[in-house]
Amino acid sequence: MSKPKIDTDERQSPLGAIIADMIAADGPMPVDRYMALALGHERHGYYMGRDPFGRAGDFITAPEVSQMFGELIGIWCAAGWQMMDAPAEWNLVELGPGRGTLLADLVRACSVMPGLREGMKVHLVEMSPALKTMQAETLKRAGIDATWHDRLEDVPDGQSLIIANEFFDALPVSQLQKQAGQWHERVVGQTADGKLTFGLASDPVAPALVPSWTAGAADGDVAEFSPARDAVAREIGRRICKDMGAALIIDYGHIRSAVGDTLQAIRKHQFADVLARPGDADITSHVDFEALTDAVTADGAKAYGPVMQGDFLIKMGLKEREEMLRARADARQRIRLSKGAQRLVSGNQMGQLFKVLAVTHPDMPKPAPFNVEPA
Ligand code: SAH
């Protein structure tokens, strides 16, 4: 991603006015509540009524960059299905499927494995009515039947492969900030002239709520943690251990827990003020893969990685896939293919910021590409 400019449009959004009213009535709200409203407010939440992806939208995700992304994840799924001993019936679960592009590419690629497609049940976890409609259209064109759910808990039990690309970064984070040696919850309040502004809860939080990795932090440091992410990760691990299965989690973030304020807003491919126009900008924060790994393995599942997205895709055969597609592509398509591959793997674009974590039942062999020794 090239460094976007700051978007300075500060007119109040409809949701901004609603949040200001809530704060006037109940006092400042914790950051996680603000983020949950900004993204998921029934009427005005960022994801609820629009297609945010692509050139005309606010940001672009890996499946929209190149079909090869979903196809390589399809190959990972085919290998995962074999590692589950090729069950006659199984669930393919995707969390936050966006436009449904990844799923369509994935299913096309993994369906070449004989016997895999017949017993495959597709379950999508999605909160946005607008995106559900869009996913249904994409899957209809691809000839894929699916069932939608609001939460992972609602997906039926059974052997499962679970995929999440850029899902966890959209789940709300809480923030603490250190002040005069004590940690306070960061909250959203408002100024005298009605503008949203960050502040700190007056009472410090109970020491038991402060993550141990914050030891050594200085005054002013911010620590993020996410009960919402931990709960979904824990549910993934629990399902995999109970019924057999594996998961692939891809997101941008850091390998080790560390202090830092990573909350950000993106609007029309530019960084925006997180508080300026809630509901009109995508708000995310970096995923803490150490915390995610702890949660997903809490019930006994095994985790592999995280590895850089670039390394993962190359080991899964990106170059070979590109060559194959090039052989039957015209000149324009070839340029698209090589630009897409470049964007997915290169260190200054998506290749290093994005990480991949694989999770399996403890009795399953090492998943691809962790089963390939370095040459
Ligand atoms: N995986 C897609 C989309 C990523 S954007 C891609 O890579 O292109 C995040 C997706 O998660 C969107 O589909 C959004 O509507 C969905 N989402 C965000 N928060 C959610 C929640 N709490 N429950 C269910 N879906 C959610």
Side-chain angles (χ1 to χ4, degrees):
M1 277 181 288
S2 52
K3 205 75 178 156
K5 294 194 292 286
I6 296 281
D7 173 11
T8 49
D9 183 355
E10 288 198 356
R11 279 168 302 159
Q12 186 73 292
S13 57
L15 183 57
I18 293 173
I19 289 176
D21 285 348
M22 288 175 166
I23 293 169
D26 303 326
M29 64 173 68
V31 166
D32 63 340
R33 170 107 176 102
Y34 174 79
M35 187 170 168
L37 285 168
L39 298 180
H41 180 274
E42 213 172 39
R43 230 177 116 209
H44 301 293
Y46 175 73
Y47 280 111
M48 301 309 267
R50 66 154 69 75
D51 168 19
F53 309 105
R55 212 181 276 274
D58 294 306
F59 61 98
I60 190 159
T61 57
E64 306 298 334
V65 166
S66 173
Q67 69 183 75
M68 293 185 285
F69 184 78
E71 289 170 346
L72 293 171
I73 294 177
I75 293 169
W76 186 89
C77 287
W81 178 74
Q82 283 188 310
M83 279 169 29
M84 295 192 293
D85 275 342
E89 286 225 343
W90 63 287
N91 294 329
L92 174 61
V93 184
E94 189 181 355
L95 309 180
R99 285 176 169 170
T101 310
L102 190 159
L103 196 77
D105 292 335
L106 179 173
V107 170
R108 190 176 62 248
C110 70
S111 295
V112 299
M113 175 73 72
L116 172 146
R117 180 75 194 262
E118 289 73 11
M120 177 179 85
K121 301 266 181 297
V122 176
H123 294 280
L124 304 182
V125 176
E126 175 57 67
M127 69 171 179
S128 157
L131 289 176
K132 277 181 195 167
T133 304
M134 188 166 270
Q135 290 152 17
E137 284 163 8
T138 306
L139 298 190
K140 193 167 173 216
R141 279 197 302 276
I144 300 166
D145 289 329
T147 312
W148 277 262
H149 309 271
D150 291 335
R151 295 151 15 109
L152 177 58
E153 284 79 355
D154 302 333
V155 173
D157 285 347
Q159 302 198 28
S160 301
L161 297 177
I162 304 172
I163 308 295
N165 184 58
E166 287 206 51
F167 173 72
F168 280 93
D169 66 55
L171 299 184
V173 277
S174 305
Q175 290 190 326
L176 305 177
Q177 190 164 25
K178 200 167 187 182
Q179 181 181 266
Q182 288 187 305
W183 290 96
H184 296 256
E185 178 147 35
R186 211 162 172 231
V187 292
V188 176
Q190 60 184 323
T191 58
D193 59 352
K195 267 195 170 168
L196 299 180
T197 181
F198 283 112
L200 295 183
S202 45
D203 291 336
V205 295
L209 292 179
V210 179
S212 56
W213 49 261
T214 58
D219 270 358
D221 281 347
V222 171
E224 294 178 347
F225 63 100
S226 174
R229 291 176 187 167
D230 291 349
V232 177
R234 183 132 192 195
E235 174 64 11
I236 292 175
R238 190 194 67 77
R239 283 176 172 257
I240 286 176
C241 286
K242 178 169 166 284
D243 292 325
M244 177 61 66
L248 199 63
I249 299 169
I250 306 145
D251 226 307
Y252 64 107
H254 37 275
I255 292 174
R256 297 263 161 259
S257 302
V259 291
D261 171 11
T262 75
L263 202 63
Q264 65 177 36
I266 299 270
R267 187 162 173 246
K268 299 195 168 66
H269 302 270
Q270 299 187 341
F271 282 123
D273 180 334
V274 170
L275 300 181
R277 297 187 56 84
D280 286 354
D282 184 34
I283 299 185
T284 60
S285 89
H286 287 209
V287 172
D288 173 351
F289 274 92
E290 187 172 353
L292 201 69
T293 303
D294 284 349
V296 84
T297 55
D299 291 315
K302 264 187 131 160
Y304 298 88
V307 291
M308 310 283 176
Q309 171 173 299
D311 292 344
F312 173 84
L313 293 175
I314 285 170
K315 284 194 182 141
M316 288 304 299
L318 181 75
K319 292 269 151 58
E320 294 77 2
R321 184 80 201 155
E322 189 186 342
E323 282 312 310
M324 241 174 83
L325 293 170
R326 278 177 78 86
R328 45 175 204 255
D330 63 27
R332 259 186 70 197
Q333 290 166 329
R334 285 183 181 189
I335 293 172
R336 255 184 77 87
L337 281 168
S338 59
K339 272 196 172 162
Q342 180 69 16
R343 187 155 180 190
L344 292 177
V345 301
S346 81
N348 59 4
Q349 299 194 60
M350 300 178 104
Q352 286 187 3
L353 181 57
F354 281 78
K355 316 280 186 310
V356 182
L357 183 76
V359 189
T360 68
H361 186 282
D363 298 339
M364 252 160 84
K366 269 190 190 175
F370 301 92
N371 50 1
V372 180
E373 294 305 324

